Amino acid sequence: MHFNRKFGFSTVAVLVLLFIITGCNNNTENPKTVNETDEHITTELAKDAHSFSNPNDVAVTHMHLDLAVDFEQRILHGSVRLDLDNKKDSKTLHLDTRQLHIEKIELDNGEETKYALANDVEYFGQDLAIEILPTTKYVTIYYKTDPAAEALQWLLPEQTSGGEHPFLFSQSQAILARTWVPCQDSPGVKFTYSARITTSPELIALMSAQNGTTKNENGVYEFTMDQPVSSYLLALTVGDLNFQSLGRNCGVYAEPNMVEKCAWEFTDMQSMIDSAEALYGKYAWGQYDVVVLPPSFPFGGMENPRLTFATPTIIAGDRSLVALIAHELAHSWSGNLVTNETWNDFWLNEGFTVYFEQRIMEKVFGTPYEEMETKLGMGGLKHTIARLTEEGNADDTHLYLELDGRNPDDGLTDIAYEKGRFFLQTIEKAVGREKFDAFLKQYFSENAFKPMNTARFEKYLDDHLLKGDTALINAIQPKAWIYGPGLPANAPVPQSIELDKVEEQIEAFMGGKKASELTTDNWTTHHWLYFLRGLKSKVDTEQLADLDDAFGFTTSGNSEILCDWFQHCIALEYKAAYPSMEKFLTSVGRRKFLTPLYEPLAETEDGLAWARNVYEKAKPGYHAVSKNTIEGILK
Ligand code: BES
Ligand code: ZN
């Protein structure tokens, strides 16, 4: 391991590294608390408008989950023990809960205590106020989840690839952890955890923790996560999954009939890890695995520590969509080590991660590849800015968001991701890559296992990089990027020779050339996406049919290409593609692909009727996250 000695490390980072070096302790009876000695716990956290909890008074330092998985009733049933650091001799512990059924709550040695569950607030759930004593060391909550718990998706065997076994996965980000574990559901609160999960023996349980690679005969799985994590990173999946190693410290879990294919797709995982470490320091979590979930997973990927959850729609068969792995891996630094303190600071997680992802992709796949992704990213960002501005939501184009009282999901747009990336690129350009890389490396190591907020980041940037240099500050304009609308005037203009070639072909096609005569040799997914986006609102139905004949878009196996193609088909009511689109909408639950299709469909009477009909069929396969969004569109 090589660390940059100059910079020094916080106590926590050193402790954590010690754990990694000495091997982690698996004793769940006497859980050690890495953060007992952590000075950040004594620092006040910013008020989190999306949590009822009171971590500045009393903080959860460790969690032990003991849950049985009941596929019949679609519930988790058992208990959670929370170890407390009662800093202010508080008599009440406030926890976040939603849709939970609390049975009883005990203090330390088993005496039951009183609690009050407040009324439900939309999105936020119910404040659980537990009576504790200043001397209380831990509380144990006995509870059940609800079959409708929003974080959990329970799948029937026929909704899996193998078709024989049921499947369960969780999705806790942003504020859904509270629907399966009563907790301080605020990203600024970090705790270690351990767990015991009981399920049927033909299934394996995996968590965002140290995992086994094979099934246990008794169906009992024990987990430890010895490094402090935020509640939104609590994750569980249970299914018929096999493991295949992909290198020194990485591998993939997938259903048995898919694991080979997934392993082939993710061949570059170890080089991604090595490249990431070369950029911004040692990977802090030991093992890095990816589990490929059934297609109803509502996101592309989720950076659960040690175990990224991923959609099968990135298994394109040509490795063209693996940037998503680089992205989730990058979160092992930006997000999982240095964590947005509240959801208003979400860009600190995602903007940094897109920037980091881009740097990994450049190293592993080369500059032309990276340039295409970056230029596509700018296209998406401009589109999002235009839409939000048109809708009268220009405030939502600021990096720092005001999400108080709103669903934090509202912040899940290209702004946090792409505007965040281009802000960091702007700094990189102004100070030079070498300086910026040293800055980021120090930022990740000094702030590891701590929350970060926008104001503290600004100060950190100034203290370590800008140092009051007015010329530099004027060149970068941090305030305009963070607190201003749209794209500041100094935004980079991405260049890509590869995509310039695509532009020539778009021109030729618009000038009357037949699709089959276009020069598209060696085009990759990114060329095609740029091509399809460049033709938006320019082509007529005949041209669409010509394109389909020449390139077979309707029957493409690539989910990204299909999603862009179907948008053309909807705009021109190109009915030849509708059966294929119906198949897509009923087999894929990734929200990013559903919204851009259901939205334009809902704009015409016929489209809306068709979409409602398809949605009824598709609904059982969608996760609550996707259902909520689509029902909002179709209502
Ligand atoms: N952490 C996000 C997913 C997320 C964010 C879930 C907020 C819930 C609330 C994850 O890292 C992510 O950004 N996934 C993207 C893929 C990425 C390549 C842009 C996705 O799911 O599409
Ligand atoms: Zn992300």
Side-chain angles (χ1 to χ4, degrees), residues 303 327-328 331 350 353 417:
E303 66 271 26
H327 178 95
E328 305 312 333
H331 272 306
E350 298 300 343
T353 297
Y417 289 79

Side-chain angles (χ1 to χ4, degrees), residues 30-327:
N30 180 18
K32 60 111 246 351
T33 47
V34 134
N35 41 7
E36 257 168 15
T37 51
D38 184 356
E39 70 279 358
H40 89 259
I41 292 295
T42 54
T43 324
E44 293 270 305
L45 290 164
K47 175 75 197 128
D48 178 358
H50 298 110
S51 172
F52 297 112
S53 67
N54 56 335
N56 287 323
D57 300 339
V58 44
V60 170
T61 57
H62 181 86
M63 168 186 288
H64 179 73
L65 280 165
D66 189 347
L67 295 171
V69 182
D70 184 339
F71 278 100
E72 289 284 301
Q73 295 189 64
R74 304 193 149 197
I75 59 167
L76 301 174
H77 188 189
S79 66
V80 61
R81 196 193 68 221
L82 302 172
D83 297 5
L84 305 179
D85 173 16
N86 195 339
K87 294 174 258 192
K88 299 199 179 149
D89 293 342
S90 202
K91 297 210 173 94
T92 316
L93 170 68
H94 289 277
L95 298 178
D96 295 296
T97 76
R98 193 176 153 206
Q99 305 170 299
L100 293 180
H101 304 282
I102 309 288
E103 289 159 355
K104 64 172 177 179
I105 303 180
E106 294 173 355
L107 302 185
D108 301 316
N109 301 318
E111 345 117 49
E112 264 190 57
T113 188
K114 289 196 198 137
Y115 63 89
L117 206 49
N119 288 336
D120 184 72
V121 183
E122 200 185 4
Y123 308 125
F124 300 89
Q126 296 171 277
D127 173 7
L128 171 63
I130 304 172
E131 283 187 20
I132 56 168
L133 301 167
T135 52
T136 302
K137 289 278 167 277
Y138 53 84
V139 298
T140 307
I141 301 161
Y142 295 84
Y143 72 102
K144 268 188 212 165
T145 60
D146 192 86
E150 282 209 7
L152 305 178
Q153 189 168 14
W154 302 85
L155 298 175
L156 297 167
E158 55 267 33
Q159 293 170 307
T160 67
S161 174
E164 276 176 39
H165 298 281
F167 204 102
L168 165 69
F169 63 80
S170 68
Q171 169 56 40
S172 296
Q173 197 179 9
I175 55 170
L176 299 179
R178 63 191 68 178
T179 71
W180 68 287
V181 187
C183 62
Q184 295 188 317
D185 198 8
S186 175
V189 179
K190 297 201 179 213
F191 51 88
T192 53
Y193 81 84
S194 50
R196 182 174 186 272
I197 304 288
T198 312
T199 183
S200 41
E202 68 274 13
L203 306 176
I204 188 169
L206 303 170
M207 292 192 80
S208 49
Q210 285 191 38
N211 286 301
T213 56
T214 53
K215 290 164 192 151
N216 288 343
E217 267 167 35
N218 55 8
V220 179
Y221 295 87
E222 309 253 3
F223 303 90
T224 54
M225 171 41 83
D226 294 319
Q227 290 140 296
V229 296
S230 311
S231 55
Y232 78 92
L233 297 171
L234 284 172
L236 169 69
T237 182
V238 180
D240 180 18
L241 294 163
N242 284 0
F243 176 77
Q244 193 159 319
S245 172
L246 292 170
R248 287 190 316 283
N249 66 330
C250 62
V252 60
Y253 294 89
E255 287 190 58
N257 64 359
M258 287 174 59
V259 73
E260 283 293 330
K261 207 170 172 226
C262 296
W264 185 86
E265 202 85 17
F266 298 156
T267 304
D268 297 301
M269 207 186 286
Q270 188 69 58
S271 17
M272 287 182 181
I273 298 172
D274 297 346
S275 303
E277 289 190 320
L279 281 165
Y280 301 130
K282 179 88 188 154
Y283 176 73
W285 308 87
Q287 180 76 13
Y288 178 76
D289 297 325
V290 174
V291 57
V292 179
L293 298 169
S296 63
F297 186 57
F299 293 101
M302 178 63 215
E303 66 271 26
N304 299 313
R306 297 181 67 106
L307 184 65
T308 285
F309 283 20
T311 169
T313 61
I314 54 167
I315 311 299
D318 60 4
R319 299 181 181 152
S320 66
L321 302 179
V322 293
L324 184 133
I325 301 298
H327 178 95

Side-chain angles (χ1 to χ4, degrees), residues 385-407:
I385 290 174
R387 180 179 57 80
L388 288 170
T389 311
E390 231 165 74
E391 292 169 358
N393 294 324
D395 284 0
D396 285 347
T397 68
H398 304 184
L399 283 178
Y400 180 76
L401 293 173
E402 313 264 0
L403 294 171
D404 297 12
R406 294 160 67 188
N407 187 338

